[in-house]
């Protein structure tokens, strides 16, 4: 069985996605199968605190595809690798990551 773990970076306060990172692996064999790493153009400036936290700035996302285009590419990545529909989310989301790091 192949599983995908996904990590999203988001702009604040809008929570628009600015990066999708994922790894496909086979936990039963301990094998990394493939990776997915794409910047996403959120259609808005990256907040200064997010630039500091992630290292992602306006120059990184300016000419990148939208979330719609990137999600189509991510779906194709999952289909090509025959990944289980149940994934793993990496990180704790804004309930922990953002609040801890932006105080």
């Amino acid at each position: 069985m192949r599983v995908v773990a996904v990590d999203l970076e988001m702009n604040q306060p809008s929570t628009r996605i600015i990066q999708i990172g994922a790894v496909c692996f086979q936990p039963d064999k301990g094998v990394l199968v493939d990776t997915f790493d794409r910047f996403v153009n959120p259609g808005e400036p990256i907040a200064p605190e997010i630039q500091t936290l992630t290292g992602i700035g306006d120059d990184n996302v300016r000419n990148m595809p939208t979330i719609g285009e990137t999600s189509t590419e991510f779906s194709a990545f999952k289909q090509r690798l025959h990944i289980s529909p149940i994934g793993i989310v990496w990180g704790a989301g804004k309930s922990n990551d953002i609040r801890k790091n932006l105080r």
Side-chain angles (χ1 to χ4, degrees):
M1 173 177 63
R2 292 179 173 180
V3 177
V4 66
V6 180
D7 181 29
L8 302 177
E9 300 300 339
M10 297 183 201
N11 201 16
Q12 296 299 321
S14 69
T15 67
R16 290 187 181 180
I17 296 170
I18 59 175
Q19 185 180 30
I20 299 174
V23 295
C24 172
F25 61 100
Q26 290 182 249
D28 56 332
K29 297 180 180 177
V31 175
L32 175 66
V33 177
D34 204 350
T35 61
F36 183 93
D37 184 18
R38 303 292 188 275
F39 288 121
V40 178
N41 187 336
E44 64 186 17
I46 306 295
E49 57 271 17
I50 298 302
Q51 291 184 43
T52 300
L53 180 66
T54 66
I56 300 170
D58 294 329
D59 289 342
N60 298 109
V61 301
R62 182 173 293 115
N63 297 314
M64 295 294 112
T66 65
I67 188 60
E69 296 163 321
T70 307
S71 63
T72 299
E73 187 180 356
F74 183 63
S75 292
F77 166 80
K78 288 176 33 180
Q79 289 175 351
R80 176 176 56 83
L81 296 172
H82 307 286
I83 297 172
S84 167
I86 300 171
I88 298 168
V89 176
W90 187 260
K94 69 180 182 178
S95 64
N96 290 323
D97 293 345
I98 297 301
R99 290 183 185 162
K100 279 187 212 175
N101 291 306
L102 297 183
R103 286 185 191 174

